Amino acid sequence: MKDLMAVKSFRYASRALQPGDTFSAKDRDARLLVAVKKAVEAPATAGEASSDPATPPPSQLEPVELDALRVRYKELFGKAAYYGWDAATLGEKIAAGGSGSDE
């Protein structure tokens, strides 16, 4: 069994999981859920996750940052960002494009 954290809403083992929920899955199911990007491996220890209860899981933080980066990309390049880029990739594109257009 592997400990996972849901990234998207879905049903598994008679449970309706929401982003940020942790659950255990069989090894085979875990590989599949990670491959289709519905879940990621849970933090290594439960102590890390509960040490700061005010901090929401990363899956709840990223959409706000991603939206801001998409707006910045559109301002810089005049076109919409590719929907498949995550926040890190989009940040790299903005940094590379922003430095090149300043000169």
Side-chain angles (χ1 to χ4, degrees):
M1 297 290 278
K2 281 194 168 188
D3 291 330
L4 300 175
M5 182 171 61
V7 176
K8 298 179 181 179
S9 299
F10 67 98
R11 294 184 60 80
Y12 179 76
S14 301
R15 290 183 56 198
L17 298 166
Q18 299 299 317
D21 289 348
T22 57
F23 64 100
S24 293
K26 297 176 187 174
D27 291 335
R28 182 178 177 196
D29 293 344
R31 283 195 311 267
L32 177 68
L33 291 169
V34 170
V36 297
K37 299 183 180 176
K38 290 203 174 199
V40 294
E41 288 191 29
T45 61
E48 289 177 17
S50 63
S51 64
D52 189 8
T55 304
S59 61
Q60 292 178 358
L61 291 175
E62 188 173 318
V64 174
E65 178 185 354
L66 190 57
D67 290 341
L69 288 171
R70 285 182 175 151
V71 168
R72 179 71 178 136
Y73 185 90
K74 184 154 183 130
E75 289 172 355
L76 284 175
F77 299 104
K79 60 183 180 179
Y82 175 63
Y83 69 92
W85 290 339
D86 61 357
T89 304
L90 199 49
E92 291 172 7
K93 300 281 185 185
I94 290 171
S99 63
S101 63
D102 289 340
E103 296 178 14

